[in-house]
């Protein structure tokens, strides 16, 4: 490349103008600015001193969290079936690895930027150790103090981080041009986390043979009981990463479709088959489900092969509306559940088959897709409808973080189609439909989420036929999705309004029907335009799931604010509310912050919001 | 024999009357140019022909089908009549090829392969086969308008409507679009063109019409229209525009 | 329809199809609603607790931990306490969140590196933690303070304990309302002075220091008021008493008819105007937005208002609406309203309008416990504190985002234009950047205020008795869940409609200015 005639000048490299100039420009540009600088430095140091003091004060009982981590994650999920939880995590991590490997772009990062990051981290820690208080007040009334950080320990730590800081500075200056694959670096980071599980030792609550808690708590490694599964999962992640990379190098196209489908399917499989441990009765599967699967597969075969013929294609409209009508009628009839949804899917198949399956090969592909999805659907329904063999006394099998994500994921997933339909209704040209949709959206939105949760937990049963009762988690998911649908509808409406009138006219002019116009022209553009607001809505809904604690569901926050601070049996954690609330705060923060950062990066890469 | 018949067509927007009774006949293979000042109803009229707007009085008969509120008629008309817009209105989320094949696949129920073959033919005809895989946003205005013409032609319409196809274009791109339109006219397509391009009218049109305030003021052959107009309104219009 | 011809088969006519589809859909929805509510009524009748509004009139036998009354004598009053508590937190919350949010928004645009970083860090921390967690956090913070029993009894200036925060407060004297009106007037006086000075500045071209002068006017006006000037407001009270007398002379029924017809006339005018506006918009999708719904609710509100204010006439109608005995008191009405004003603004009142009192920790009755005296100072309860701080901080970070993006949206090009005209930075900000930024900021700001109002409902988690908490206590006692839910819905809808109409009003006004 060097012998190319490159007439374009590269921009001059920005020189670091020196510490003095930077300080002058950014901190002491004027008298006011200097005063502000000193003030804020004072406030920051004071704040961090008290925060650190709070964390390392001898009054804190951090074992309340380490001891209760399992409670936090899955609440009372029985020990004997714990393998199911690990399978769930393994499934997600495996998929994550595959996707990551398959989409890895072999991006390289220079050691310079990596070590700059390290320098930032190390210098922050260095700074924090420097300002950490050596004593804290433990009794506010008496004013007694306790020493929490010996000076020798402080110097020791300062020394360690000083060396780390210097070495990363050394790498930054000497090996600046070296590069490393970003993926391997990330694998290394995760590996370091797993190593930390084995190496770092913390006080751990332990009981002796007569069930008395040892005092003081012996030091044991970070995740005493779970370090082996975590290590195994790490290996799985790395292995699937390389499998994904291999698949992408082989250029297998179908993986591109299978991966998103599996992401959609995984949560369903988890809640119907894995987590619930359903009571699969083979006779029912053999006598009811299998015939239905085969039947629908055959119908699908007929539809795909005969609907395309010259004679029938002109009556397509009647087939489409007819099948929709049949599906609607059957839906309201008391027949087996396994028939209701497949009929709607058949309606979709009938509407798209003549267009998609116009060659032998595509007909075959469509038939395979059809059969597989019908089989999965019916088996999922079997899993969901069967009795769960897992019994948790007093509450649902979902608790802790598992409950949080179940409500968040299904709340959003279910709300999506309804939100889109509501948005379409609200922008429709039909006045009656528009008024109804508008009223619905506005009513739902004007009332706070918590009242809807009360509606779900106390009032929903009144509106259902007597005898029909839902699990409280299901009710929470239902109201969450109603609530989320209304907000989503407003976001989607924004997208719909951003589409110019010309697009509608052009779609009309080339002869598309209303349904085709919406699904082929309007929706793809509208949804693309509203990805950023939808992402922030998803984030805020994730945060809002914490409200189920108020109606008494055992989610992460309920466990942190009500359950653990009241534990007096065994290990005594009475009154550890501060520690637990802080843990919840940090936990939620990590999730929402990293999700927000990640999505911002993706949005930037897609160039959204800049059009 | 006439392919479009319009009898005393009237249209109101609220209290404002946009069309005050338009009566005309257009024969098969005829190229008709409509001009007139902005707000004269010329765009409204051709939009009534493929029912993007509904006329409220009078009759429009296209290819023997009267435009009414009959669902079936509307669908039939839409696939007989192609339309090219002033602002192109290409679908920005689809590639050029997908833009062209969309309607044949979903409306005409053609197979994808057939539709793509035909689309490539059309792109060849409008002179930009190499842009097939690009997105509309990556093309120049002139290229976009040519894609829009190809998109309309892909439905194999009997009539093409052009609503000021060159008004949104830079001067150097107008020619490439007009060339495509000339070629189309010479191939015997029935065309109604709303435009201010008088050169095009002189060269290609069979008839030229002038609209003003919702009325058909003058209807003439190009020669007569430009050299020897009947009405004073036409003279005034020509003096302003030329 | 000018060409309504039946020359097409009606089942293929788009107009027919359009309306038939819609009517079918409407019937479907109505059927759905009827099914749901029919089911609910059947279920409720089966549970021995049929739907009724009776609990609004009867004494609920509950205690509300704070509010204008602690032992409500009716269900309605209990709910009113909840509403008042909710509004208390909302109004002060909006005030402080706006202040704090604007400050942070500007700080995030600061050129000072450390200020910018610190604020951004704070914003990123607060916005990514669920509000409920934060409220619990603030509750835990205040509960970590010493218990009141361990504290010396006696007077304090400001005192924080696990019972809450106690601080000095202004106790209202009999002339407080008079002075309050005087104080409100001071804003318009200051504004007037400012405008006069600006006019002089423009006329004579010398710096007339409008800010300084208006500040001076504001302060001196209030000083005059404090030492007796407020008596002038008594004139208003006098006028009110004459109006009340006048209304007492009028026959009641005629008055009611007059007011009802006036109200209906204005409601009709408003609705028809809105409908006309809706009709004229030709664009698809953009027309009517939420107006239809607002009209319906506005009409319902007007109806309720009329019926509520002029009850004697409306008894039958209320019976019809509610199907139960009444819960509105008949002594509300125009004369009573003006009598009330006259009572508050009596020119004979004298003395200092407000006196400062300090909180005091006292012995609670004969028990050994200590508590704050309820008569002096002000006590901010734990629930109030946690909810208040929680919603303010949480909302203010979102407001800071609104302010930041609002200023950034105008700042660049417009500042350059302004600077090139030679305006000074302060003038530039006041005359060019802020008016435009405000216009951009207004709608999202309104959204944030609405969120704040809704978020106060989380007070229930820390036992702050706002409307949701009171409602819940009430239905636990009385079993009328659906009635309480309807009241919640009506209350919150009213709040959000009011807020959004205010925002819409300003939005429209600003847009008119623009054109």
């Amino acid at each position: 490349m060097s012998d190319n005639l490159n007439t374009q000048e590269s921009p001059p490299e920005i020189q670091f103008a020196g510490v003095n100039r930077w300080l002058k420009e950014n901190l002491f540009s004027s008298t006011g600015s200097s005063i502000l600088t000193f003030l804020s430095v004072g406030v920051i140091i004071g704040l961090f001193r008290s925060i650190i003091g709070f964390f390392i004060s001898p009054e804190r009982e951090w074992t309340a969290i380490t001891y209760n981590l399992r409670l936090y994650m899955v609440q009372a999920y029985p020990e004997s079936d714990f393998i199911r939880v690990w399978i769930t995590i393994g499934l997600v991590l495996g998929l994550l690895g595959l996707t990551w490997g398959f989409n890895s772009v072999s991006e390289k990062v220079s050691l310079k930027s990596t070590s700059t990051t390290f320098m930032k981290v190390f210098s922050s820690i260095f700074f924090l150790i420097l300002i950490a208080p050596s004593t804290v007040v433990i009794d506010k009334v008496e004013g007694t103090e306790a020493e929490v950080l010996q000076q020798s320990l402080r110097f020791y730590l300062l020394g360690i981080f000083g060396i780390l800081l210097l070495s990363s500075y050394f790498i930054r200056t000497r090996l600046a041009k070296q590069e490393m694959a970003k993926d391997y670096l990330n694998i290394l980071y995760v590996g370091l986390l797993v190593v930390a599980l084995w190496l770092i030792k913390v006080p751990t609550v332990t009981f002796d043979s007569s069930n008395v808690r040892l005092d003081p708590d012996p030091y044991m490694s970070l995740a005493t009981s779970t370090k082996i599964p975590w290590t195994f999962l790490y290996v799985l992640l790395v292995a699937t990463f390389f499998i994904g990379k291999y698949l992408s190098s082989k250029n297998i196209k179908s993986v591109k479709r299978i991966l998103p489908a599996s992401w959609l399917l995984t949560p369903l499989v988890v809640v119907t088959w894995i987590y619930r441990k359903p009571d699969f009765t083979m006779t029912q599967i053999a006598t009811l489900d299998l015939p239905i699967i085969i039947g629908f597969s055959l119908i699908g075969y007929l539809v795909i092969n005969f609907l395309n013929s010259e004679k029938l294609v002109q009556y397509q409209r009647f087939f489409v509306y007819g099948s929709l009508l049949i599906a609607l009628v059957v839906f309201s009839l008391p027949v087996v559940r396994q028939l209701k949804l497949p009929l709607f899917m058949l309606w979709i198949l009938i509407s798209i088959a003549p267009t998609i399956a116009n060659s032998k090969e595509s007909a075959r592909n469509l038939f395979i897709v059809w059969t597989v999805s019908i089989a999965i659907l019916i088996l999922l329904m079997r899993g969901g409808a069967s009795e769960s063999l897992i019994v948790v006394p007093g509450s649902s099998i979902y608790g802790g973080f598992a409950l949080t994500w179940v409500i968040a994921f299904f709340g959003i997933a279910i709300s999506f189609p309804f939100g889109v339909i509501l948005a379409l209704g609200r922008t429709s040209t039909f006045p009656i439909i528009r008024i109804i949709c508008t009223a619905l959206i506005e009513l739902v939105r004007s009332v706070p989420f918590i009242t809807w949760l009360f509606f779900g937990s106390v009032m929903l049963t009144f509106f259902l036929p007597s005898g029909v009762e839902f699990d409280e988690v299901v009710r929470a998911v239902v109201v969450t999705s109603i609530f989320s649908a209304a907000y989503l509808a407003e976001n989607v409406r924004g997208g719909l309004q951003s589409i110019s009138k010309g697009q509608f006219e052009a779609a009309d002019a080339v002869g598309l029907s209303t349904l085709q116009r919406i699904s082929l022209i309007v929706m793809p553009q509208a949804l693309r335009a509203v990805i950023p607001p939808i992402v922030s809505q998803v984030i805020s809904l994730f945060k809002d799931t914490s409200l189920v604690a108020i109606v008494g569901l055992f989610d992460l926050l309920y466990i942190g604010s009500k359950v653990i601070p009241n534990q007096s049996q065994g290990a005594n954690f009475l009154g550890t509310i501060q520690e637990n609330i802080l843990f919840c705060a940090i936990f939620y923060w990590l999730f929402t912050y990293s999700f927000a950062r990640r999505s911002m990066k993706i949005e930037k890469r897609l160039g959204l919001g800049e059009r | 024999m006439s392919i479009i018949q319009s009898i005393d067509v009237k249209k109101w927007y609220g209290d404002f009357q946009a069309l005050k009774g338009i009566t005309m006949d257009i024969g098969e293979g005829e190229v008709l140019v409509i001009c007139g000042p902005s707000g004269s109803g010329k765009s409204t009229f051709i939009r009534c022909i493929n029912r993007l707007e509904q006329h409220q009085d009078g009759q429009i008969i296209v290819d023997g089908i009267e435009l009414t509120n009959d669902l079936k008629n509307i669908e039939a008309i839409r696939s007989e009549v192609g339309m090219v817009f002033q602002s192109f209105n290409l679908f920005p989320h689809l590639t050029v090829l997908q833009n062209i094949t969309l309607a044949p696949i979903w409306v005409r129920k053609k197979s994808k392969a057939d539709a793509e073959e035909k689309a490539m033919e059309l792109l060849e005809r409008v002179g930009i086969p190499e842009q097939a895989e690009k997105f509309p946003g990556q093309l120049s205005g002139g290229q976009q308008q040519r894609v829009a013409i190809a998109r309309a032609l892909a439905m194999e319409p009997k009539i093409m409507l052009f609503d000021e196809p060159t008004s949104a274009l830079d001067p150097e791109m107008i020619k490439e679009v007009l060339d495509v339109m000339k070629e189309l006219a010479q191939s015997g397509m029935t065309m109604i063109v709303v435009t201010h391009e008088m050169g095009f009218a002189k060269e290609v049109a069979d008839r030229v019409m002038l609209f003003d305030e919702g009325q058909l003021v003058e209807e003439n052959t190009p020669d007569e229209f430009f050299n020897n107009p009947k009405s004073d309104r036409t003279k005034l219009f020509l003096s302003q525009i030329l | 329809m000018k060409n309504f011809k039946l020359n097409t088969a009606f089942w293929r006519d788009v107009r027919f199809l359009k309306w038939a589809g819609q009517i079918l859909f409407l019937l479907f929805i109505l059927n759905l609603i009827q099914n749901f509510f029919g089911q609910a009524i059947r279920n409720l009748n089966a549970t021995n607790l049929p739907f009724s509004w009776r609990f609004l009139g009867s004494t609920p036998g509950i205690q509300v931990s704070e509010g204008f009354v602690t032992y409500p004598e009716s269900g309605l009053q209990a709910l009113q306490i909840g509403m008042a508590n909710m509004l208390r937190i909302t109004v002060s919350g909006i005030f402080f969140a706006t202040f704090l949010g604007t400050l942070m928004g500007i700080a995030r645009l600061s050129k000072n590196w450390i200020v910018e970083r610190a604020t951004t860090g704070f914003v990123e921390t607060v916005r990514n933690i669920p509000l409920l967690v934060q409220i619990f956090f603030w509750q835990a913070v205040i509960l970590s303070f010493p218990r009141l029993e361990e504290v010396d009894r006696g007077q304090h200036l400001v005192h924080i304990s696990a019972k809450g925060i106690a601080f000095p407060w202004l106790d209202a004297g009999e002339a407080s309302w008079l002075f309050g009106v005087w104080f409100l007037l001071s804003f318009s006086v200051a504004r007037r002075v400012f405008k006069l000075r600006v006019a002089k500045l423009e006329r004579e071209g010398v710096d007339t220091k409008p800010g300084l002068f208006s500040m001076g006017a504001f302060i001196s006006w209030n000083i005059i008021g404090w030492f007796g000037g407020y008596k002038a407001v008594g004139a208003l009270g006098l006028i009110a008493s004459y109006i009340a007398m006048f209304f007492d002379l009028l026959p009641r029924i005629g008055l009611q008819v007059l007011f009802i017809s006036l109200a209906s006339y204005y409601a009709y005018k408003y609705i028809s105007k809105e409908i006309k506006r809706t009709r004229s918009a030709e664009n698809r999708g953009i027309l009517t937005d939420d107006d239809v719904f607002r009209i319906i609710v506005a009409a319902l509100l007007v109806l309720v208002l009329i019926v509520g204010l002029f009850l004697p006439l409306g008894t039958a109608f209320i019976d019809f609406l509610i199907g139960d005995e009444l819960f509105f008191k008949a002594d509300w009405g125009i004369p009573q309203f003006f009598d009330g004003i006259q009572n508050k603004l009596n020119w004979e009142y004298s003395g200092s309008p407000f006196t400062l009192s300090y909180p005091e920790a006292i012995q609670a009755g004969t028990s050994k416990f200590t508590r704050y005296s309820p008569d002096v100072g002000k006590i901010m309860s734990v629930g109030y504190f946690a909810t208040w701080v929680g919603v303010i901080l949480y909302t203010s970070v979102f407001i800071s985002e609104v302010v930041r993006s609002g200023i950034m949206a105008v700042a660049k090009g417009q500042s350059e234009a302004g600077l090139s005209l030679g305006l000074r930075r302060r003038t530039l900000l006041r005359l060019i950047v802020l008016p435009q930024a405000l216009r951009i900021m207004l709608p999202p700001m309104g959204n944030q205020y609405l969120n704040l109002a809704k978020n106060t409902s989380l007070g229930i988690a820390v036992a702050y008795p706002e409307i949701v908490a009171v409602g819940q206590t009430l239905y636990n006692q009385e079993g009328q869940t659906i009635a309480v839910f309807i009241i919640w819905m009506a209350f919150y809808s009213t709040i959000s409609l009011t807020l959004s109409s205010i925002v819409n009003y300003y939005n429209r006004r600003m847009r008119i200015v623009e054109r």
Side-chain angles (χ1 to χ4, degrees), chain A residues 64-375:
Chain A
I65 284 138
T66 49
Y67 179 69
N68 284 307
L69 264 183
R70 173 180 292 183
L71 192 69
Y72 264 128
M73 293 302 118
V74 293
Q75 206 228 342
Y77 202 78
E79 180 95 47
S80 53
D81 280 302
F82 224 68
I83 187 71
R84 291 172 177 275
V85 176
W86 290 118
I87 291 175
T88 306
I89 301 174
L91 214 64
V92 174
L93 281 183
L95 259 182
L96 191 73
L98 270 182
T99 320
W100 181 16
F102 191 74
N103 293 323
S104 90
V105 279
S106 63
E107 195 183 331
K108 300 234 169 180
V109 280
S110 66
L111 271 184
K112 189 176 174 185
S113 69
T114 316
S115 47
T116 312
T117 320
F118 272 108
M119 270 177 71
K120 278 182 190 161
V121 173
F122 289 143
S123 53
S124 317
I125 297 176
F126 189 84
F127 173 73
L128 290 182
I129 295 168
L130 198 68
I131 63 167
S134 41
T135 57
V136 291
V137 179
I138 54 170
D139 191 330
K140 286 203 181 81
V141 182
E142 305 276 319
T144 357
E145 292 192 339
E147 189 176 34
V148 283
L149 186 65
Q150 289 154 354
Q151 288 305 331
S152 57
L153 181 63
R154 187 201 299 269
F155 287 126
Y156 177 65
L157 289 173
L158 282 181
I160 290 179
F161 281 97
I163 290 168
L164 285 173
L165 190 56
L166 279 178
S167 49
S168 41
Y169 179 72
F170 182 77
I171 293 173
R172 188 177 179 277
T173 46
R174 292 296 160 86
L175 303 168
K177 291 272 186 276
Q178 295 279 333
E179 283 187 332
M180 234 183 128
K182 200 172 178 185
D183 293 331
Y184 296 129
L185 203 66
N186 286 335
I187 287 180
L188 189 74
Y189 288 155
V190 183
L192 282 178
L193 278 182
V194 176
V195 170
L197 288 185
W198 288 81
L199 291 187
I200 295 180
K201 299 219 186 293
V202 290
T204 311
V205 178
T206 14
F207 297 97
D208 64 8
S209 50
S210 56
N211 247 348
V212 177
R213 185 175 166 185
L214 295 178
D215 189 43
D217 297 320
Y219 278 74
M220 289 166 113
S221 62
L222 202 56
T224 333
S225 55
T226 54
K227 57 191 176 191
I228 295 168
W230 279 121
T231 315
F232 179 75
L233 286 174
Y234 174 67
V235 174
L236 179 80
L237 179 74
V238 176
T240 46
F241 169 76
F242 283 107
I243 293 173
K245 231 174 142 76
Y246 172 76
L247 286 178
S248 102
S249 71
K250 285 279 166 203
N251 211 1
I252 300 175
K253 283 254 172 67
S254 57
V255 183
K256 224 176 193 167
R257 290 190 199 133
I258 290 173
L259 273 179
S262 339
W263 274 112
L264 269 180
L265 216 57
T266 309
L268 290 171
V269 170
V270 166
V271 296
T272 53
W273 293 349
I274 300 176
Y275 212 79
R276 284 183 76 242
K277 194 179 183 184
D279 185 9
F280 278 125
T281 32
M282 281 305 155
T283 46
Q284 269 189 332
I285 293 180
T287 54
L288 190 65
D289 298 347
L290 269 184
I292 289 179
I293 293 171
I294 294 169
F296 270 102
S297 151
L298 281 178
I299 295 174
Y301 181 77
L302 295 179
V303 164
I304 291 165
N305 284 295
F306 293 106
L307 222 53
N308 216 8
S309 75
E310 283 292 317
K311 270 187 198 160
L312 289 179
V313 95
Q314 51 182 321
Y315 299 114
Q316 223 240 329
R317 181 196 305 278
F318 298 105
F319 288 125
V320 171
Y321 290 127
S323 55
L324 177 61
L325 201 67
I326 292 173
L328 281 172
V329 167
V330 173
F331 192 76
S332 54
L333 291 180
V335 292
V336 271
R337 222 181 269 118
Q338 273 83 347
L339 273 180
K340 292 180 175 176
L341 279 185
L343 278 174
F344 278 103
M345 289 186 56
L346 191 66
W347 166 57
I348 296 174
L349 182 73
I350 289 176
S351 351
I352 62 168
T355 315
I356 291 183
N358 40 33
S359 74
K360 266 241 153 71
E361 202 201 339
S362 52
R364 208 192 62 209
N365 284 342
L366 187 62
F367 175 66
I368 292 171
V369 170
W370 166 254
T371 309
V372 168
S373 37
I374 279 290

Side-chain angles (χ1 to χ4, degrees), chain B residues 12 55-59 66 68-74, chain C residues 2-3 5 7-9 11-15 17 282 284:
Chain B
W12 288 262
H55 60 285
Q56 286 149 335
D57 203 0
Q59 276 180 299
E66 187 185 348
T68 55
N69 285 311
D70 192 329
L71 193 66
K72 198 140 193 189
N73 288 358
I74 297 171
Chain C
K2 281 203 162 56
N3 64 337
K5 289 180 225 145
N7 55 358
T8 37
W11 64 87
R12 281 202 326 234
D13 190 313
V14 277
R15 289 169 302 183
L17 286 175
E282 260 291 302
R284 85 176 81 202

Side-chain angles (χ1 to χ4, degrees), chain B residues 180-210:
Chain B
V180 170
M181 286 167 64
K182 276 175 203 162
E183 188 266 333
L184 198 60
Q186 279 145 14
S187 74
M189 173 71 73
T190 313
M191 290 164 69
I192 304 182
V193 185
V194 171
T195 187
H196 294 296
E197 292 298 325
M198 292 304 136
F200 176 80
K202 271 181 201 163
E203 196 177 328
V204 186
D206 297 320
R207 260 193 298 166
V208 183
M209 290 182 179
L210 181 81

Side-chain angles (χ1 to χ4, degrees), chain C residues 100-262:
Chain C
L100 206 64
T102 313
L103 217 63
M104 285 199 292
I106 294 170
R108 285 181 73 187
L109 291 169
S110 160
K111 279 191 175 158
N112 187 315
W113 182 81
I114 200 154
V115 171
E116 188 265 327
R117 288 278 83 196
T119 342
T120 309
F122 180 76
V123 167
E124 287 298 337
T125 312
V126 173
R127 69 186 276 165
N128 284 312
I129 297 173
L131 175 58
L132 188 58
V133 176
Q134 294 184 41
I135 289 179
F136 276 137
F137 172 80
W138 293 112
Q139 186 197 26
V141 164
I142 197 139
L143 286 179
S144 73
F145 278 89
R147 300 172 57 198
L148 201 52
E149 279 83 79
E150 299 162 5
V151 175
D152 298 335
R153 288 182 188 152
Q155 244 182 22
H156 299 271
L157 188 61
V158 177
H159 192 262
I160 309 177
S161 73
K163 271 265 159 60
I165 302 173
F167 48 91
W169 193 247
L170 293 171
D171 282 342
E174 58 175 7
S176 60
W177 281 89
L178 287 171
F179 180 73
V181 175
W182 182 271
F183 178 73
L184 286 181
L185 286 176
S186 67
F187 285 102
S188 59
V189 168
R191 203 181 140 87
R192 184 87 205 122
V193 170
F194 186 83
K195 286 212 161 150
L196 281 176
R197 298 304 291 184
V198 168
K200 194 171 178 199
L201 181 146
E202 280 162 2
R203 206 169 48 237
E204 295 170 13
V206 287
D207 189 1
T208 50
K209 297 193 170 47
L212 202 69
F213 270 86
S214 71
M215 186 76 92
F218 183 80
I219 291 170
S220 47
W221 174 267
N222 279 319
I223 288 175
I224 295 169
W226 185 270
F227 295 105
Y230 58 75
K231 277 190 175 273
V233 181
L236 282 180
L238 220 56
I239 295 170
S241 72
Y242 288 131
I243 294 176
M245 266 157 68
F246 170 71
F247 276 117
D248 267 343
L249 291 175
L250 279 179
R252 204 170 163 86
I253 197 91
L255 201 69
Q256 284 166 0
V257 170
L258 178 75
F259 273 94
I260 290 176
S261 22
L262 265 180

